[in-house]
Every structure is written in structure tokens, then in C-alpha cells.
Amino acid sequence: MTSTPLSVFVYGTLKPGGFYYKEYCEGRVIKSYEAIALGQLYDLPLGYPAMAAGNDPVWGYVLVFEDPDVLKDLDELEGYEPQRSPDENEYERVWVEVFDHHQQSLGFVWTYIMTAEKALALGGVLLPEGIWIHQSIL
């Protein structure tokens, strides 16, 4: 029995070359491609970003994993447990539509978002260009 590949939009430390890419993604990703999701991107002083709901382009990558069980590891990294209330999670895992550079839909994938209120409470700074480039964790 084969499983359906799992696609996840990443915009921070899980991007290729990012701080957590090697540990969580290397050797597990069967395909990756640049993509854009709509939201608001914040640079957190914790050394990683957060995407909140919004209508601005957020630039990142879709990572395609052959093994859908990788979601358990990503959930743990992102401080997300489906059984907890959203207030108790650091991020929420949600379906988002992603687009190519010509604004054509590439379909829906998983991603992790944070409320804008939580990002601001953590000292987040809005990145209006929608690109997070830091690659280290404090």
C-alpha cells in the first residue's frame, strides 16, 4: 500500500538551507518548489518567522514528502497539537492555497500560522515584502 505524498508550505527555518531543513527535511523531501501564500509575515525576535492570516504575498517553498508521518515531527517542531486549543498552540496547522510567480494556483497544502496578535505580543515585526531571510536560531 502506498501513501499519498504530503505537501507543506514553509517560509522560515524549514526552507532549503534553513536552520531546521537538514534535521527535519533532508533525505525526506522528494520534491520542492518556490511558491507564494497569502498572509502577513512577521520576523520574531526568537530567531524564526510567523505567518498570520492576511492578503499579502509570503514567499517560500512547498516541500513534498513521500511519508505523511513527517507531519508528526513538524507538528512537534511548530508547537502544534491538534487536541489542544489554539490558544495553547504556538502555531496552528491549516490548509492554504499556494501560487506560482504568475499568480496561478498550485493547489492547497499544509502550513503553520500564528495569529497576528500572538506574533505582535512576541515582539514580531511585520515584513511587508513577505520574505524572511534569517537562517539562524538564537
Side-chain angles (χ1 to χ4, degrees), residues 8-14 20 24 48-49 71-81 84 89-93 111-114:
V8 180
F9 177 74
V10 298
Y11 50 84
T13 59
L14 288 168
Y20 284 120
Y24 286 88
Y48 52 87
L71 209 51
K72 293 173 191 168
D73 295 334
L74 297 180
D75 284 352
E76 185 177 322
L77 173 67
E78 303 295 357
Y80 171 73
E81 287 187 25
R84 285 195 306 217
N89 286 324
E90 183 172 13
Y91 291 87
E92 287 296 303
R93 179 168 31 93
T111 197
Y112 294 89
I113 65 168
M114 182 181 285

Side-chain angles (χ1 to χ4, degrees), residues 4-11 33 36-39 51-54 62-65 68 71 75 80 91-99 105-114:
T4 303
L6 170 80
S7 297
V8 180
F9 177 74
V10 298
Y11 50 84
Y33 51 92
I36 301 164
L38 297 180
M51 185 172 84
V62 171
L63 305 180
V64 182
F65 299 90
L71 209 51
D75 284 352
Y80 171 73
Y91 291 87
E92 287 296 303
R93 179 168 31 93
V94 298
W95 279 105
V96 294
E97 188 172 15
V98 292
F99 302 88
S105 177
L106 299 170
F108 285 83
V109 301
W110 288 115
T111 197
Y112 294 89
I113 65 168
M114 182 181 285

Side-chain angles (χ1 to χ4, degrees), residues 30-42:
I30 56 173
K31 179 179 175 183
S32 68
Y33 51 92
E34 291 184 354
I36 301 164
L38 297 180
Q40 289 185 310
L41 191 61
Y42 292 86

Side-chain angles (χ1 to χ4, degrees), residues 13-22 135:
T13 59
L14 288 168
K15 292 188 300 188
F19 187 84
Y20 284 120
Y21 183 85
K22 185 173 185 174
Q135 298 299 324

